[in-house]
Amino acid sequence: MSRFQVGALLAALVLPVALQAAPADNSMPVNTFIGTQDEGNTFPGASAPFGMIQVGPITDHYAGYRYSDKKIRGFGHSFLSGAGCWEQGGQLSVLPVTGTIGPGGNFDTKKPDSFNHKTYAAEYTHEGEVGQAGYYKVKLTSYGGITAEATALTRAAAERYTFDAKAGAGHVLLNLGQANERHSVIGSEVRVVGDRAVEGRIITRSFCGGAKYATWFRMEFDRPFAARGIWDDRAGWANVDGPSQQGEAKPHGVWLSFDLKNGQSVTAVSAISHVDAEGARLNLKAEGMEGGKPMSFDAMKAKAQANWQRELGSVRIEGGSNDDRTVFYTALYHALLQPLTGNDADGRYRGYDDVVHTAKDWTYYEFFSLWDTYRAQNQLLALLRPQRARDIANSVLKIREQSGWLPRWGYANFETNIMTGDPVTPFLVDLWRFGALKGREREAYTALRENAFGVPAFGIRPQGRSGNPSYLRQGFVQYDRGFISKGMDTDPHHGASATLEYALADSSLATMAKALGHTKDAQVLAQRALNWKKVWDPTVVDEPTGQRGFPRPRLLDGSWFADVGSGFDPRGDHGFHEGTAWQYQWLVPQDVPGLAAAMGGTSQALRRLDQFFDYEALVADPAAVRKSWVVGPYSYYSQFRYNPNNEPDLHSPWMYTLMGQPWKTTTVLRAAETLFGNGPSGVTGNDDLGTMSAWYLFSALGIYPDVPGSGRFLLHAPRFSRAEIDLAPGRVLRIEAPEAKPGERRYVQSVNYAGRPVSRVWLDWEQLQSAGTISYKLAPQPDTAGWGTRAADLPKAPAGLAR
């Protein structure tokens, strides 16, 4: 769910931020402003790797912060990085202010609208604004000038607000009733505890109209309150502690006043929990306190940034400018933000059954954007963070155990049913293939088989493969816009693309079934992996290009869908989710020879790829992608080119490799990489919880995951001359390409692995895990009859796939 920008805005926004973003250790620089413009939907605030809590600014944008917005409404305490739906956190909006709180004052307690964060929002300046891994800083120019800073550990965060020397008295507003734009708070409660702490609970309805969920919080300050008060929809009430409750999105919050001298600062440490109030207290005590007092801001910042440097230091690159390195390490940063830690410091977490469970000796994760992450981010985490990958796999199985079905897009502790297809199958099968399900293979297969061969009961929230009745009977998901859905999305609303996604999932599960000895299942699933052919209509013609043969939606009775009066347009919006038949036609990596045959043979398929990528224009000028590929915001339809902003065709550059023209993959990748830059517009579309960033990392490193379950990583020319990747303690994968230079095309002439020539276009997972060295020899011109061009160099279909 994503888009990109116009080039002029990119040029206008890059330099000011790039100058401010690099940490003191410039070897692994991160610019957290990358992706904060043009629907990248990242956030610049502070977070730990896979952190439970994030602290960052809220402006007018639904994702929390947009670089071009002029005012900051507050600093929220919950964000997602790069999601596309409109409700995305920002709970507990906190803003430091000055002025008089009381009847007739700047914050008139007789006028509840005085406490609307759209009314009291502060202007700010980008001058001196800093966005680093684990640290954020900005100068508010309203209220006499206040410097706001934020940092975060896994379960606790800290904010420091430094007031102007002339302030005298400063206040901090804790707004419970409002969050990010369009993120509806439907209930809240709060209590002031003593003279230094505040506790409460915020209930939100979140993510694409999803279910309600609760966030408990506790915040402690490093100095006592000189005064305090609570506001609601009636008025403000001075010097009261609560408890206070509000519902139905009514105004609600707390003001805290401090006596300040000589520009003193106020530091607050906070923690949240999705379990209960005690969970928030425990998290704060475990990570935000020292000696019974709030940890100093500088101490937490140092710890947070050291944690990030360790995380980022697990991948080391050589070559390129500071901008090149910043883009790379920011992509790594974004890819390591989620899924989010879900259990409190004592191991407790709230399951999908709304019961509190305990994770002992492992971490429970939540917030799973599987439709996105199964394509790149999942494999990256398995490669870089095997222990986390095991815990992620365990978390997904726990969700099934507690909710009754496997998830698709899990938000906090409920299933949103957002997006379509069957992403959980390739997601878990890849984790199995990478060893993350060791000891739980049978349990995982049982869950995946249930999902692949059935449909959840009507009375439980997950809808699973809602198109399975038609798919299992006829081999395709029917196109039916009137099909009743349990959420915003359901598979029959996008029957053609759902069929392609199901077939790909069946291919991966066939591999797992065969390996586990389920021979009959493997045969059935392998045959179903060819169901992409059931929605392939060889008679469809794209009139402007003359290309013939495309996937096409079918109705329940088996007939082809035709738009009234105009037949079927492969550039149209019928039957495909966030894409067109042009983009989805390539979603058959499990049967590339069969797909090529359906297109009239390999030569014709390659010519269609050239047209799809506007290949000749890219050869002449890689920047041509800004005209050929990039279109308006969320413009998924009426397109016949590659869409670099969205997931369905992310793998398509490697279709060249799989058809024997690997040099063209390199040409496309180097052009696509121009869309990633060191500035707010530097993410191509929604980052989708690290998916686009993970795609960039694989592209730059010279390896990319092939068909889910295959364990293959396709090889291509790296962007950097050298990379070292820590796989596990004591094991390092090295990638060397001495002739590589960012911004220039160099083509693979030969590949060596562990000192031996590699003629085929991939390495297996086991080879990568053995931690050898991949050595690429690159040249300025491709050898069109050389490496990777012979049929013997190309992978066969995954094990068990029948033809």
Side-chain angles (χ1 to χ4, degrees):
M1 291 183 284
S2 38
R3 66 156 290 190
F4 198 70
Q5 76 294 339
V6 293
L9 186 55
L10 172 67
L13 294 179
V14 169
L15 289 178
V17 180
L19 294 174
Q20 293 292 329
D25 180 357
N26 243 5
S27 62
M28 293 165 287
V30 168
N31 176 358
T32 64
F33 298 104
I34 291 176
T36 58
Q37 187 69 31
D38 299 315
E39 313 308 322
N41 289 359
T42 60
F43 65 93
S47 176
F50 311 94
M52 175 184 290
I53 186 170
Q54 306 81 32
V55 181
I58 299 170
T59 61
D60 299 340
H61 196 248
Y62 66 88
Y65 176 98
R66 179 169 50 198
Y67 188 80
S68 59
D69 287 341
K70 303 302 182 185
K71 291 185 176 182
I72 290 175
R73 300 175 179 181
F75 297 90
H77 291 71
S78 181
F79 294 91
L80 290 178
S81 182
C85 273
W86 50 89
E87 303 151 313
Q88 294 190 35
Q91 296 96 310
L92 187 62
S93 176
V94 176
L95 189 73
V97 299
T98 57
T100 302
I101 300 178
N106 307 79
F107 299 89
D108 193 336
T109 52
K110 298 297 184 182
K111 298 178 180 179
D113 192 59
S114 294
F115 295 97
N116 183 328
H117 70 187
K118 295 183 182 180
T119 301
Y120 64 65
E123 294 182 348
Y124 70 104
T125 177
H126 289 306
E127 184 178 351
E129 190 178 21
V130 177
Q132 300 171 357
Y135 177 65
Y136 174 77
K137 176 182 179 181
V138 67
K139 178 67 174 293
L140 306 179
T141 55
S142 299
Y143 304 111
I146 302 170
T147 298
E149 299 170 272
T151 191
L153 302 177
T154 302
R155 296 182 179 86
E159 300 140 76
R160 180 165 63 191
Y161 302 116
T162 302
F163 293 78
D164 183 86
K166 300 177 182 178
H171 319 284
V172 175
L173 307 179
L174 279 62
N175 189 331
L176 279 68
Q178 294 176 295
N180 286 355
E181 182 71 12
R182 302 183 71 184
H183 189 138
S184 176
V185 177
I186 57 176
S188 56
E189 61 183 69
V190 68
R191 179 194 299 268
V192 178
V193 182
D195 65 352
R196 291 177 184 249
V198 180
E199 291 185 347
R201 179 177 63 155
I202 301 172
I203 312 297
T204 53
R205 180 184 298 280
S206 199
F207 214 71
C208 291
K212 303 173 185 177
Y213 76 103
T215 302
W216 284 265
F217 71 89
R218 181 176 175 90
M219 180 175 286
E220 294 200 20
F221 292 81
D222 67 342
R223 59 179 64 245
F225 313 139
R228 63 200 180 278
I230 293 174
W231 76 80
D232 57 26
D233 60 318
R234 300 165 298 159
W237 316 92
N239 297 316
V240 298
D241 295 335
S244 174
Q245 295 190 31
Q246 285 293 311
E248 303 304 324
K250 292 181 178 179
H252 196 207
V254 175
W255 76 80
L256 307 168
S257 302
F258 301 88
D259 287 332
L260 303 172
K261 297 179 181 179
N262 300 322
Q264 289 179 315
S265 64
V266 174
T267 296
V269 295
S270 54
I272 63 172
S273 170
H274 291 148
V275 176
D276 54 22
E278 184 60 22
R281 296 180 195 121
L282 286 171
N283 290 339
L284 187 64
K285 183 178 180 180
E287 297 190 31
M289 307 291 284
E290 286 184 331
K293 297 180 179 180
M295 183 184 297
S296 76
F297 183 90
D298 289 333
M300 186 179 289
K301 175 189 173 186
K303 191 173 183 179
Q305 294 203 301
N307 289 344
W308 268 116
Q309 288 300 302
R310 281 192 295 272
E311 291 279 345
L312 298 170
S314 65
V315 181
R316 299 168 296 281
I317 58 172
E318 293 180 10
S321 66
N322 185 64
D323 279 354
D324 295 321
R325 299 178 63 80
T326 300
V327 169
F328 182 92
Y329 281 108
T330 303
L332 182 58
Y333 166 84
H334 283 146
L336 298 178
L337 284 173
Q338 51 272 306
L340 308 185
T341 298
N343 63 278
D344 291 335
D346 60 356
R348 295 182 306 147
Y349 66 92
R350 186 168 296 276
Y352 276 52
D353 53 2
D354 203 35
V355 173
V356 176
H357 303 268
T358 301
K360 295 181 179 179
D361 302 320
W362 64 285
T363 299
Y364 175 77
Y365 291 99
E366 55 190 12
F367 294 88
F368 289 103
S369 179
L370 299 181
W371 188 83
D372 307 292
T373 59
Y374 93 78
R375 305 171 201 264
Q377 196 248 6
N378 182 43
Q379 297 90 329
L380 185 75
L381 294 190
L383 185 69
L384 301 182
R385 301 291 181 272
Q387 181 57 56
R388 290 194 190 271
R390 284 190 284 272
D391 288 353
I392 287 168
N394 194 32
S395 300
V396 171
L397 292 179
K398 286 294 182 182
I399 290 172
R400 181 254 185 178
E401 177 184 315
Q402 294 155 13
S403 72
W405 211 262
L406 289 168
R408 173 177 294 164
W409 213 125
Y411 191 100
N413 67 316
F414 69 89
E415 174 56 55
T416 67
N417 291 312
I418 298 304
M419 306 312 296
T420 50
D422 180 19
V424 71
T425 294
F427 184 89
L428 275 184
V429 170
D430 259 343
L431 291 180
W432 159 78
R433 182 65 180 83
F434 301 150
L437 282 166
K438 189 174 183 179
R440 306 195 67 180
E441 298 93 341
R442 302 291 172 180
E443 176 188 355
Y445 183 77
T446 297
L448 288 167
R449 189 188 191 283
E450 174 187 59
N451 176 67
F453 285 83
V455 178
F458 182 80
I460 67 174
R461 181 172 178 82
Q463 62 185 2
R465 285 190 179 194
S466 57
N468 250 357
S470 170
Y471 182 79
L472 298 179
R473 185 176 65 253
Q474 302 179 87
F476 62 86
V477 178
Q478 81 274 21
Y479 177 45
D480 180 3
R481 290 297 303 176
F483 191 90
I484 296 176
S485 172
K486 293 182 180 181
M488 188 175 77
D489 296 321
T490 193
D491 295 333
H493 291 180
H494 310 278
S497 60
T499 300
L500 295 169
E501 296 273 14
Y502 283 18
L504 176 58
D506 285 340
S507 165
S508 66
L509 191 55
T511 303
M512 184 178 183
K514 183 177 181 180
L516 296 180
H518 301 289
T519 305
K520 290 184 178 179
D521 280 359
Q523 292 172 347
V524 171
L525 289 164
Q527 192 61 43
R528 280 165 40 178
L530 300 177
N531 279 344
W532 67 269
K533 296 180 179 182
K534 298 291 182 67
V535 292
W536 187 272
D537 184 355
T539 70
V540 171
V541 177
D542 180 68
E543 295 294 347
T545 64
Q547 293 290 358
R548 179 180 292 272
F550 286 91
R552 179 178 182 180
R554 299 179 74 169
L555 305 180
L556 187 59
D557 64 4
S559 62
W560 294 111
F561 165 80
D563 221 347
V564 175
S566 60
F568 174 68
D569 179 5
R571 305 183 187 197
D573 62 350
H574 288 287
F576 295 90
H577 200 176
E578 295 189 1
T580 68
W582 268 95
Q583 283 130 22
Y584 273 98
Q585 67 182 320
W586 307 109
L587 194 61
V588 192
Q590 74 274 21
D591 186 18
V592 175
L595 179 63
M599 293 178 172
T602 300
S603 295
Q604 179 59 31
L606 287 166
R607 283 194 291 270
R608 191 182 295 206
L609 272 172
D610 288 346
Q611 195 168 46
F612 181 62
F613 286 109
D614 198 10
Y615 185 78
E616 292 304 319
L618 305 189
V619 172
D621 179 11
V625 298
R626 296 191 180 278
K627 293 182 179 179
S628 294
W629 299 353
V630 175
V631 292
Y634 300 99
S635 294
Y636 304 123
Y637 304 108
S638 301
Q639 307 300 326
F640 75 106
R641 299 284 194 201
Y642 177 57
N643 182 356
N645 309 337
N646 209 20
E647 280 71 17
D649 57 0
L650 283 186
H651 68 292
S652 57
W654 287 269
M655 296 301 280
Y656 278 125
T657 296
L658 295 170
M659 293 186 195
Q661 291 188 343
W663 70 91
K664 290 187 176 180
T665 295
T666 295
T667 298
V668 171
L669 295 182
R670 297 295 92 92
E673 289 163 6
T674 67
L675 299 175
F676 293 81
N678 186 15
S681 298
V683 170
T684 173
N686 297 160
D687 200 43
D688 285 322
L689 279 71
T691 299
M692 305 306 292
S693 287
W695 183 95
Y696 173 84
L697 291 167
F698 278 128
S699 173
L701 288 169
I703 55 175
Y704 192 81
D706 193 13
V707 188
S710 70
R712 293 193 297 262
F713 283 76
L714 300 173
L715 305 175
H716 61 267
R719 180 179 177 87
F720 294 95
S721 60
R722 181 179 174 87
E724 292 185 343
I725 304 170
D726 293 338
L727 303 177
R731 290 192 289 124
V732 178
L733 172 66
R734 293 175 174 84
I735 302 173
E736 297 178 346
E739 298 88 3
K741 186 175 181 181
E744 296 185 12
R745 289 193 293 260
R746 294 289 187 273
Y747 301 95
V748 178
Q749 297 296 292
S750 63
V751 181
N752 276 263
Y753 177 73
R756 295 183 178 181
V758 177
S759 60
R760 65 185 192 178
V761 296
W762 80 94
L763 292 176
D764 290 318
W765 172 258
E766 288 76 16
Q767 291 175 291
L768 294 186
Q769 291 302 295
S770 66
T773 298
I774 307 173
S775 298
Y776 289 91
K777 180 176 177 55
L778 307 181
Q781 299 298 323
D783 182 353
T784 59
W787 178 84
T789 62
R790 299 176 306 154
D793 300 334
L794 310 181
K796 305 283 190 239
L801 180 61
R803 294 199 188 284

